[in-house]
Amino acid sequence: MKRINRLMSFAIATCVAIGISTGGAMAQKRGGILKYIIPSNPPSADGHRETTFGTIHPFAQYYSVLIRINPSNPASTTDFRCDLCVGDVPKATNYGKRFTFKIRDDVKFHDGSKLTAKDIKASFDRIVNPPKGVLSARKAYFLMVDSISAPDDTTIVFDLKYPSGAFIPAVAMPYNFIYAKKLLDKDQHYYEKNVMGSGPFMFVEWQPGAFIKGKRNPNYYRKGQPYLDGTEAIFAKKQSINVQAIRGGRAYIQFRGFPPKSRDDLKKALGDKLTVQESDWNCVLMVTPNSKRKPFDDARVRRALSLAIDRWGGSKYLSKIAIVKTVGGVVFPGHPLAATKEELQKIPGFWPDIKQSRAEAKRLLKEAGVPEGFEFEFHNRGVDQPYKIVGTWLIDQWRQVGLKVKQRVQPSGPFYATLRKKKDFDVSMDFNCQSIVNPLLDVSKYLSSDVSGSSNGQYVDREVDEMFNKMNRSGDPVEQRKIMRAYETRVLDEKAWALPTLWWYRIIPHHAKVKGWKISPSHYLNLDLANVWLDE
Amino acid sequence: MYQYIIKRLLLVIPTLFGAAVLVFLLLRLIPGDICDMRLAGEGGLVDEETLNTCRAIMGIDKSLWLQFVDFIWGFIRFDLGISMWTGQPISYEIGLRFHLSLQVAIMATLSAIVISIPLGTISAIKQNTWIDYFVRAFSIAGIAIPSFWLGIIIILGLLITTQYFSGTPWMPPIQFKPIWEDPMHNLSQLLWPAIATGYRYSAVATRMTRSTLLEVLREDYVRTARAKGLLEKVIINRHALKNAMLPVVTVIGIEFAFLMGGLVVTEQVFNLNGLGKLFVEAVDHHDFTLTQALVMVVVTIFVFTNLIVDIFYAWLDPRIRYS
Amino acid sequence: MDAVSQTIPGKEIEEPAASKPWLVSLFDLIRQQPLGAAGAFIVIIMVFLAVFANLVAPFDPIVNDYGSMHIPPDGTHWLGTDQFGRDVLSRLIYGARTALVVGFVSAFIGATAGLVLGVSSAYFGGLFDLIFQRVMDVFMAFPLIILALAVVSIFGTGVENLIIAITIPFIPRCARVVRSSALSIREIPYVDAARALGFNHRRIILRHMVPNVMAPYLIMITAFVGQAILLEASLTFLGLGVQEPTPAWGLMLQGGAEEYAESAPWMAIFPGLAISLAVFGFNLFGDALRDVLDPKLRSQ
């Protein structure tokens, strides 16, 4: 956890000030328009159906959600808040199978009508059991839900099929906007192109590809918030434009993340006018060998690929040019379930001595009969940060154990198609990115291909699947941690099915006058902007 | 003449149809589809059933024949359909961007005309002197310098010089405002891409002006005029330049059509929300309907510009009609 | 036009006719075509660098050196280093190889295919010509980026596929020009005579028509080389071309160069200059070649 808060002293000071909002030296100022930049062009406004951050960044501020991470403590992986509730996030009843939420009765939609438990039921029904012709991208997260009911206007009850620790994190996902039932009843597709919620800001105008504008919701239910008069976001995909916009003051902040070099350049140019917040990112960039192709069907070859990668050195160098930094295993670094440095360094490929690793890699390759100068194709995604940068680094790493690598780069669409459907690759770049940190579910990436839809290495390993199930059934953190270590050793060492390279690192350099916002380990989280204010 | 025009108009149909077939097939040969793109983002956990629902909504589960007939039938009725990515009508999506692309194209054209005609004329009159060499080198450089790189250098130059002189860096606005709403804002954004593309454009036009003028200057009637003792200035302005203008106008017309659909890379560099950027995004998202519509719009503009140029030529030179 | 194209091959600019001492002839030529000579000079230097890249380049263009990332130009790295610590100058020199290969191969294939198709279209005329013209129309009007993206997505990225993507739009453009010059030749008596004598089509096309359209063909080739280098840079810049770690100029301008243009301007400036200079050289050379081959434009 320490790592997450590094370089955040300033932001923390701000958050403390928010905690004692009245009479503090750093009282929030009201007014101003927050100008920010979104490196995307959102497909539609409907959070229930989209999966890109491009829908969250512009639209999260117009909606309430049932549960979210604590905006004053977004680095935490367990600190949830229920804003719409009377009181806290409810505890499970009925042997862990029932969650009853008590809803406040002073919440209003932007059109003045009251938000009731009926609206929440209608919204979650649409997510959990979408009607025909309606798309829900996160239906699969709610497989444990049996039924949703709203006995009265202020009560909503979720009944589960079985107790599950994954339920609350699933509800807390930022895409679960609360829509108005009356509008959904009229047209299930209403929210794709229109915006009408109960969030801190009210929608003004959206020009696709150009900008989106919002203004303050004067009737917001959390009294005093939001502080801003409005927001104005510009859509611009190109990284260099993003950096220049911050530098030239066309925007104050971008909520996705910047490469380290851009942070340094901006710091040099803007000095005190810039604040930098950084955090580990719940995304790991990994290498997936195709275990059905020769010679990658041989665990020794896969282990050699891993051994050739100088992760500790790469962490030092790559963190200067790419949005990756921390060396980690299968679990988000810093989470209690993650391996410690000592535990990690026992796994081949994570050894502290790279010379020894490379010698071992060469030995393994020789033993497996892979000749010196063996050539294979590395499949990569046509996105600079961090895919192509890390790709160039990886090729250079493999070159040093005598492997010759040709890179095949594809735009995102064909890249996905190759990785998931056609599976015609030797070795591919792969990634595991999640919003809410929830390692027990997140490591499903490493299950057998026939079990997990997101596992691309084309292997079947029942031992791995068995450990996963055991871990998820166990309620004891100590035992969970023990199984997790065995799971990690099996996936990364014995079988070397998948090779995590480095975890992403989120860097947000923003104008110092933007206050109140705190970084989280995911670019999907903490974006309703209610507690953000401008010091100008 | 009418016969010629009708014949040419009829020939447009197979070209448009061929382009339609080509874009339709190419798009479907590219692996992956819009549902992969839309649902496979980092924030989803999607099963095959959801993907199939998505494909049904987008209409890409229909047979290729049906999809193609839908596309062609829509195009015939001037109905471009709905963008798969945003769900907005394509005419609205294109309309939003058209203004910007048109304005940059017009600004670049104006600067090209203002620069190229005098330069080309001087160069032709002073053929094989140092002035001529300089103009030729200048215009060849315009063709040689990639306009996207020129754009990068312009932005870089602006940031550095404004930082040096005023202490705070300045960059062009990245948000478009129509010229009648805020002329200063509008021009300070679009001037730079207009320069970056206008240089290449004026280079092409300068070369055309020079070479056609050189040809015309050797024609008999110019020699006659010279023999009559007319002033060189009068010869150039009254006779030569007028007759040399036709190919120059042609080049300007074709370049204009090219700019309307071809600013793909420059718009990336300046983050202009124009047709070129829309194009790149549409292809990137596997947005079949939008990409098809954009290709058809670009091809139509191109084909009709060529058609107008050809008819214009035929009108001036009757021999062409019968060849 | 016929006489000129048959007796004066393109090389004339570097090796003028005998009789006069070659140095004098060279001097004459430079005086007559100073721009063309300058262009030829640039092209020769570029070819030299490309061929002897492994001897000339001070560093390996591929090896990453994380100890020297983003070093400004100095005594060791004359043009600085990039984000992976690779020497910019060495990558530029090796990049000339990629540029020349892409430039020459696609120009040659594109122009030659255009030549063959254009001449046959003119020679056979009729329905073949009509259909062929429509197909060419489609490819002329079709946006290059879609073609390039389709080629890359179907066949994968890499130099060979980039060449395919660049060659396709060249074919119709060369075919157009060749067809129109061939049309004028078709009506010339000796072609009719050859036909009357019962020579077969191949012989007439190869012996009589092709040599007579060599002038526009050569002019198109030189023009295409420059354009191919530019296209290579643009497509690579859009991520559709050459891929790391292959050294290529367009690739050097993509990603880091643009992002860090302010703090490491050498990364953005030099590759752009290299592209511009190379295309500039080929265009100057091409212009001069056209002046020599096309008598209408020759100075009085």
Side-chain angles (χ1 to χ4, degrees):
Chain A
M1 266 326 102
K2 251 187 247 160
R3 196 182 295 115
I4 291 168
N5 287 331
R6 197 189 296 158
L7 283 162
M8 278 180 48
S9 46
F10 186 80
I12 289 165
T14 321
C15 293
V16 170
I18 291 169
I20 44 163
S21 60
T22 46
M26 283 281 284
Q28 299 88 348
K29 290 183 187 158
R30 290 188 162 276
I33 305 280
L34 178 74
K35 290 187 180 172
Y36 65 107
I37 198 155
I38 302 174
S40 173
N41 185 15
S44 79
D46 184 358
H48 297 179
R49 95 166 170 172
E50 307 301 347
T51 62
T52 163
F53 73 94
T55 293
I56 293 293
H57 284 208
F59 295 108
Q61 56 187 290
Y62 304 121
Y63 293 98
S64 303
V65 289
L66 188 54
I67 302 180
R68 59 174 185 158
I69 54 155
N70 181 356
S72 312
N73 184 20
S76 162
T77 51
T78 47
D79 187 357
F80 296 111
R81 290 290 146 98
C82 177
D83 291 325
L84 294 176
C85 297
V86 182
D88 272 340
V89 178
K91 293 270 176 295
T93 56
N94 188 21
Y95 308 103
K97 292 203 299 192
R98 171 170 289 180
F99 287 86
T100 309
F101 293 81
K102 278 286 171 201
I103 306 301
R104 331 169 31 146
D105 68 348
D106 58 346
V107 182
K108 284 203 173 103
F109 279 111
H110 295 157
D111 67 353
S113 62
K114 225 170 127 182
L115 184 150
T116 71
K118 303 245 169 14
D119 298 302
I120 300 177
K121 175 177 154 46
S123 302
F124 274 96
D125 276 339
R126 192 167 183 267
I127 296 165
V128 178
N129 293 307
K132 206 170 159 15
V134 172
L135 215 52
S136 166
R138 274 157 296 276
K139 200 172 86 173
Y141 283 102
F142 291 95
L143 294 176
M144 75 293 267
V145 174
D146 187 34
S147 68
I148 306 166
S149 52
D152 59 61
D153 275 2
T154 57
T155 313
I156 178 132
V157 182
F158 290 85
D159 281 304
L160 309 188
K161 294 174 196 151
Y162 45 85
S164 169
F167 173 70
I168 291 292
V171 174
M173 269 183 303
Y175 292 94
N176 302 333
F177 300 159
I178 304 299
Y179 293 154
K181 180 171 188 295
K182 56 177 193 238
L183 293 173
L184 286 180
D185 285 347
K186 250 187 270 166
D187 177 9
Q188 282 284 344
H189 299 287
Y190 177 84
Y191 279 101
E192 284 163 22
K193 285 186 238 171
N194 302 285
V195 179
M196 211 293 285
S198 53
F201 292 91
M202 289 158 74
F203 174 74
V204 177
E205 189 188 0
W206 173 25
Q207 205 182 89
F211 62 85
I212 181 164
K213 285 179 186 166
K215 62 172 194 229
R216 183 168 193 278
N217 173 7
N219 301 316
Y220 191 50
Y221 52 91
R222 266 178 287 167
K223 290 296 164 238
Q225 289 185 348
Y227 305 114
L228 297 166
D229 282 341
T231 61
E232 195 175 319
I234 301 163
F235 300 114
K237 271 190 178 170
K238 243 186 137 65
Q239 190 84 52
S240 55
I241 292 281
N242 283 219
V243 177
Q244 285 152 8
I246 301 283
R247 191 186 195 294
R250 299 277 172 206
Y252 310 146
I253 188 166
Q254 183 254 48
F255 291 107
R256 186 167 189 271
F258 279 151
K261 177 93 169 85
S262 304
R263 165 200 61 199
D264 300 341
D265 291 352
L266 283 172
K267 193 78 204 168
K268 219 166 99 194
L270 297 176
D272 293 349
K273 283 187 241 156
L274 196 82
T275 304
V276 180
Q277 299 194 46
E278 304 188 8
S279 160
D280 273 321
W281 202 334
N282 191 18
C283 270
V284 62
L285 206 58
M286 42 196 273
V287 172
T288 299
N290 185 346
S291 54
K292 280 211 174 131
R293 275 221 182 151
K294 277 197 183 320
F296 308 104
D297 55 344
D298 188 332
R300 288 172 299 186
V301 177
R302 297 194 297 265
R303 214 177 308 146
L305 286 185
S306 184
L307 278 161
I309 304 171
D310 181 10
R311 293 178 172 84
W312 301 103
S315 165
K316 216 159 65 198
Y317 303 127
L318 277 180
S319 63
K320 289 182 192 156
I321 53 171
I323 53 170
V324 294
K325 183 170 189 177
T326 310
V327 181
V330 295
V331 181
F332 178 66
H335 191 276
L337 285 174
T340 60
K341 194 170 175 182
E342 289 70 38
E343 287 166 329
L344 212 52
Q345 287 190 335
K346 287 188 192 126
I347 300 172
F350 294 84
W351 295 345
D353 183 1
I354 183 62
K355 280 202 185 105
Q356 186 198 347
S357 292
R358 292 214 172 109
E360 173 71 2
K362 281 187 182 161
R363 191 189 69 77
L364 283 172
L365 286 175
K366 207 169 163 197
E367 195 182 297
V370 176
E372 176 87 21
F374 174 76
E375 207 175 319
F376 69 88
E377 200 178 63
F378 180 61
H379 176 233
N380 201 351
R381 181 176 179 186
V383 174
D384 260 351
Q385 283 290 1
Y387 302 87
K388 279 162 79 175
I389 311 268
V390 174
T392 306
W393 173 71
L394 282 171
I395 291 171
D396 190 62
Q397 297 292 307
W398 287 323
R399 183 186 57 81
Q400 296 180 42
V401 294
L403 293 169
K404 231 177 131 187
V405 184
K406 223 182 123 193
Q407 198 173 198
R408 172 173 164 222
V409 179
Q410 299 203 91
S412 300
F415 172 80
Y416 288 140
T418 301
L419 190 62
R420 293 180 179 150
K421 271 193 289 189
K422 289 167 60 192
K423 305 189 187 293
D424 58 339
F425 59 89
D426 293 336
V427 176
S428 178
M429 191 71 101
D430 199 348
F431 57 91
N432 191 15
C433 266
Q434 307 291 339
S435 51
I436 302 278
V437 178
N438 186 6
L440 289 181
L441 267 189
D442 294 350
V443 298
S444 66
K445 175 91 186 166
Y446 304 93
L447 296 176
S448 300
S449 302
D450 54 348
V451 176
S452 161
S454 59
S455 163
N456 302 312
Q458 300 200 70
Y459 52 86
V460 173
D461 185 344
R462 294 291 166 238
E463 205 167 309
V464 170
D465 304 345
E466 179 51 37
M467 279 193 253
F468 179 81
N469 290 334
K470 219 165 104 191
M471 187 158 64
N472 270 285
R473 278 194 303 266
S474 162
D476 175 18
V478 179
E479 198 193 342
Q480 279 176 349
R481 196 168 188 289
K482 220 175 105 197
I483 306 173
M484 188 65 93
R485 291 288 75 70
Y487 184 86
E488 194 165 56
T489 311
R490 174 84 182 168
V491 173
L492 305 189
D493 177 6
E494 284 164 33
K495 290 291 176 185
W497 293 125
L499 331 169
T501 59
L502 292 171
W503 284 76
W504 292 24
Y505 194 69
R506 193 167 173 225
I507 301 169
I508 310 278
H510 60 81
H511 284 221
K513 65 182 174 188
V514 177
K515 313 249 176 191
W517 184 79
K518 289 183 75 178
I519 196 166
S520 65
S522 159
H523 57 305
Y524 298 98
L525 302 176
N526 196 18
L527 282 155
D528 81 356
L529 309 180
N531 56 352
V532 176
W533 55 282
L534 287 175
D535 188 15
E536 54 181 17
Chain B
M1 188 69 201
Y2 287 116
Q3 233 178 343
Y4 176 77
I5 294 179
I6 287 167
K7 195 182 126 200
R8 289 302 318 258
L9 267 175
L10 285 177
L11 286 179
V12 164
I13 296 170
T15 309
L16 289 180
F17 186 76
V21 173
L22 190 63
V23 63
F24 183 86
L25 289 179
L26 282 181
L27 282 180
R28 275 140 189 99
L29 279 174
I30 298 175
D33 62 41
I34 190 163
C35 291
D36 287 336
M37 281 302 290
R38 158 166 246 148
L39 297 173
E42 291 98 349
L45 184 67
V46 187
D47 49 9
E48 204 50 36
E49 184 199 328
T50 313
L51 278 175
N52 287 336
T53 314
C54 171
R55 292 193 180 113
I57 293 170
M58 300 293 157
I60 48 176
D61 58 340
K62 288 193 247 172
S63 75
L64 284 186
W65 282 114
L66 267 175
Q67 291 183 48
F68 186 69
V69 169
D70 279 355
F71 162 43
I72 293 295
W73 178 232
F75 184 70
I76 291 170
R77 289 174 302 147
F78 297 106
D79 173 10
L80 297 175
I82 304 252
S83 158
M84 288 179 173
W85 185 251
T86 60
Q88 307 276 4
I90 288 169
S91 47
Y92 167 75
E93 291 275 345
I94 291 181
L96 274 180
R97 276 92 172 175
F98 189 76
H99 180 166
L100 188 148
S101 288
L102 184 69
Q103 198 190 332
V104 174
I106 289 175
M107 283 169 72
T109 308
L110 286 180
S111 61
I113 293 173
V114 170
I115 294 170
S116 66
I117 293 177
L119 272 189
T121 312
I122 290 177
S123 181
I125 297 171
K126 308 269 180 194
Q127 195 195 3
N128 292 339
T129 63
W130 286 108
I131 296 177
D132 179 33
Y133 292 144
F134 176 77
V135 171
R136 281 167 69 191
F138 174 78
S139 59
I140 290 180
I143 297 169
I145 295 175
S147 37
F148 70 88
W149 180 67
L150 193 58
I152 297 174
I153 298 297
I154 288 176
I155 294 181
L156 178 62
L158 283 174
L159 284 171
I160 288 174
T161 48
T162 50
Q163 168 91 324
Y164 183 78
F165 285 111
S166 67
T168 45
W170 181 88
M171 72 175 287
I174 48 178
Q175 206 177 328
F176 178 69
K177 281 187 186 153
I179 192 161
W180 54 83
E181 263 178 31
D182 190 345
M184 271 311 287
H185 178 104
N186 174 287
L187 290 178
S188 62
Q189 180 186 22
L190 298 188
L191 182 64
W192 316 105
I195 291 176
T197 50
Y199 181 28
R200 194 199 98 86
Y201 193 168
S202 62
V204 174
T206 305
R207 281 157 62 85
M208 194 43 115
T209 311
R210 175 179 177 274
S211 61
T212 49
L213 199 57
L214 277 179
E215 269 182 59
V216 170
L217 283 176
R218 291 189 201 106
E219 298 272 345
D220 292 342
Y221 64 89
V222 175
R223 291 194 187 159
T224 316
R226 281 217 179 99
K228 278 199 307 195
L230 282 181
L231 279 174
E232 193 69 19
K233 213 175 175 181
V234 177
I235 297 173
I236 300 283
N237 284 338
R238 286 261 176 85
H239 300 276
L241 206 52
K242 214 168 92 192
N243 283 295
M245 269 309 92
L246 187 58
V248 176
V249 170
T250 308
V251 161
I252 288 175
I254 289 175
E255 282 283 315
F256 185 80
F258 171 75
L259 279 191
M260 282 307 299
L263 272 176
V264 173
V265 197
T266 313
E267 280 179 10
Q268 292 284 313
V269 171
F270 288 96
N271 193 50
L272 298 181
N273 191 32
L275 291 176
K277 187 166 161 244
L278 184 65
F279 210 145
V280 173
E281 281 173 6
V283 174
D284 205 35
H285 295 146
H286 294 247
D287 189 340
F288 291 166
T289 48
L290 182 55
T291 316
Q292 282 163 188
L294 279 170
V295 168
M296 293 316 286
V297 168
V298 170
V299 171
T300 309
I301 291 178
F302 186 88
V303 167
F304 276 91
T305 314
N306 269 309
L307 182 72
I308 290 165
V309 167
D310 282 357
I311 290 175
F312 196 46
Y313 265 109
W315 178 60
L316 285 173
D317 183 354
R319 278 174 303 173
I320 294 173
R321 279 176 241 165
Y322 306 106
S323 67
Chain C
M1 190 194 280
D2 330 335
V4 174
S5 62
Q6 273 167 353
T7 51
I8 305 178
K11 276 188 197 142
E12 208 235 11
I13 292 205
E14 286 130 83
E15 302 162 25
S19 74
K20 273 193 251 179
W22 67 274
L23 206 67
V24 177
S25 319
L26 189 70
F27 190 71
D28 276 359
L29 195 77
I30 291 175
R31 233 192 11 209
Q32 270 169 27
Q33 295 280 355
L35 291 180
F41 182 68
I42 295 172
V43 170
I44 290 168
I45 289 195
M46 192 178 153
V47 171
F48 175 81
L49 288 178
V51 171
F52 298 105
N54 39 349
L55 301 177
V56 184
F59 290 87
D60 188 310
I62 292 176
V63 172
N64 297 4
D65 177 2
Y66 293 100
S68 46
M69 298 190 292
H70 293 295
I71 292 181
D74 62 15
T76 343
H77 299 281
W78 291 2
L79 302 183
T81 62
D82 69 3
Q83 51 186 340
F84 297 99
R86 300 176 298 199
D87 184 51
V88 170
L89 178 64
S90 306
R91 281 183 77 73
L92 281 182
I93 292 173
Y94 275 92
R97 262 187 198 177
T98 316
L100 282 180
V101 167
V102 172
F104 275 118
V105 174
S106 47
F108 178 75
I109 299 178
T112 309
L115 173 82
V116 173
L117 291 171
V119 170
S120 352
S121 176
Y123 178 78
F124 292 112
L127 191 63
F128 175 76
D129 187 36
L130 190 74
I131 293 172
F132 175 75
Q133 284 299 304
R134 300 288 79 72
V135 174
M136 293 292 109
D137 277 350
V138 172
F139 277 94
M140 289 272 280
F142 206 78
L144 176 68
I145 178 179
I146 299 277
L147 272 180
L149 189 95
V151 169
V152 164
S153 306
I154 298 162
F155 301 110
T157 48
V159 176
E160 310 85 15
N161 300 320
L162 184 65
I163 290 175
I164 298 179
I166 293 176
T167 307
I168 293 173
F170 283 169
I171 298 173
R173 278 161 61 198
C174 183
R176 268 268 153 96
V177 174
V178 167
R179 177 179 169 273
S180 62
S181 355
L183 270 181
S184 58
I185 297 161
R186 197 176 65 153
E187 311 306 331
I188 288 174
Y190 71 72
V191 173
D192 281 343
R195 249 187 248 180
L197 283 172
F199 289 147
N200 67 18
H201 294 323
R202 219 184 83 193
R203 188 180 156 124
I204 298 175
I205 290 177
L206 286 182
R207 285 277 174 86
H208 300 281
M209 298 194 62
V210 168
N212 282 297
V213 293
M214 279 323 271
Y217 170 72
L218 285 176
I219 291 169
M220 291 310 263
I221 281 197
T222 42
F224 283 169
V225 176
Q227 286 170 23
I229 294 175
L230 266 185
L231 277 177
E232 184 248 339
S234 306
L235 289 177
T236 305
F237 182 74
L238 285 175
L240 300 175
V242 185
Q243 297 299 340
E244 294 277 5
T246 316
W249 296 341
L251 194 60
M252 296 175 73
L253 276 179
Q254 195 217 10
E258 206 186 344
E259 240 163 87
Y260 312 138
E262 271 183 272
S263 58
W266 59 91
M267 276 170 68
I269 290 175
F270 295 121
L273 278 180
I275 297 170
S276 308
L277 199 64
V279 181
F280 185 67
F282 274 102
N283 283 350
L284 284 179
F285 180 70
D287 265 20
L289 189 70
R290 189 178 56 193
D291 282 2
V292 173
L293 292 184
D294 193 344
K296 264 197 290 179
L297 288 179
R298 255 201 289 187
S299 49
Q300 296 116 317

